[in-house]
Amino acid sequence: VFTIEASVTDINGQQVSNRTGAIVHKGEFYIGVAPRGYLAEAGEQKQFDLLTVDRGSEPVGDVDLTVTLLQRRWYSVRRQAEDGQFYWDWTVEEVPVMTTTVTTGSDGKAVAALAPRKAGGYKVRVIGRDAQKNEIRTATYFWVWGGDEFISWQQDSNNRISLIADKKEYEVGD
């Protein structure tokens, strides 16, 4: 949604303002992707339902979609901040491990199947192009279990509680 706002000041210094919004679509259709469950076993095939629809939610058929499986590799480091506490800093690297192409049917539907070999977190990115060559994309996530190798996960700094006292001293039972 693009918001357009204008203000006009007249000769007496009085100001009048207004704003409006306009929906700007990325392309001629939207892509939907849904994993058949958010967990999978390493080496097993995982299916994803795909759907292409126009702005009115009507199916758009015969759309070529590129489906890419990206393994998410997390790099986390604990750093001491100015307050003396340690916090996690992290970055994620998304490494393409598999790509396939599917074409939606006349009903706008298709199914993509991918088989990740290693455990970890994955992103499935789906890209299509409309008649004007606009790139339209969407993505979803899922997790893979199995195997005996180390898996990196995002580390969060949410393992502490800040206590704020409402008085200076407490007695037994307070």
Side-chain angles (χ1 to χ4, degrees):
V1 176
F2 281 86
T3 302
I4 302 162
E5 185 173 304
S7 297
V8 178
T9 306
D10 69 13
I11 196 167
N12 297 321
Q14 294 182 345
Q15 192 174 46
V16 176
S17 300
N18 200 357
R19 83 169 61 150
T20 188
I23 296 174
V24 179
H25 299 277
K26 179 74 175 168
E28 297 171 346
F29 59 85
Y30 288 94
I31 304 169
V33 58
R36 293 185 180 173
Y38 288 93
L39 294 173
E41 185 174 359
E44 297 293 319
Q45 192 175 72
K46 180 77 175 160
Q47 292 186 327
F48 299 85
D49 293 308
L50 304 167
L51 177 66
T52 49
V53 295
D54 64 15
R55 296 173 194 150
S57 299
E58 294 299 318
V60 176
D62 301 318
V63 176
D64 293 329
L65 300 173
T66 302
V67 182
T68 304
L69 179 65
L70 303 140
Q71 183 180 28
R72 304 190 83 211
R73 297 180 184 166
W74 294 93
Y75 302 98
S76 301
V77 177
R78 276 187 84 196
R79 301 188 195 281
Q80 189 171 21
E82 291 178 18
D83 65 1
Q85 298 291 322
F86 285 89
Y87 298 92
W88 286 102
D89 283 339
W90 49 265
T91 58
V92 64
E93 177 186 22
E94 294 179 340
V95 180
V97 294
M98 188 179 306
T99 300
T100 188
T101 303
V102 297
T103 303
T104 59
S106 59
D107 59 356
K109 295 179 182 179
V111 176
L114 303 165
R117 287 186 241 144
K118 295 182 178 182
Y122 287 86
K123 178 179 183 179
V124 175
R125 182 180 62 210
V126 184
I127 298 175
R129 292 195 181 272
D130 66 11
Q132 272 60 36
K133 305 294 183 210
N134 294 313
E135 183 178 273
I136 300 142
R137 56 174 55 207
T138 191
T140 191
Y141 300 90
F142 74 105
W143 293 265
V144 176
W145 60 273
D148 57 1
E149 61 187 77
F150 173 78
I151 301 167
S152 62
W153 299 99
Q154 177 183 353
Q155 297 288 331
D156 286 320
S157 299
N158 57 3
N159 59 345
R160 73 179 128 291
I161 299 172
S162 296
L163 296 177
I164 301 171
D166 61 346
K167 56 185 178 179
K168 286 189 173 217
E169 290 184 27
Y170 291 90
E171 298 293 326
V172 175
D174 284 353

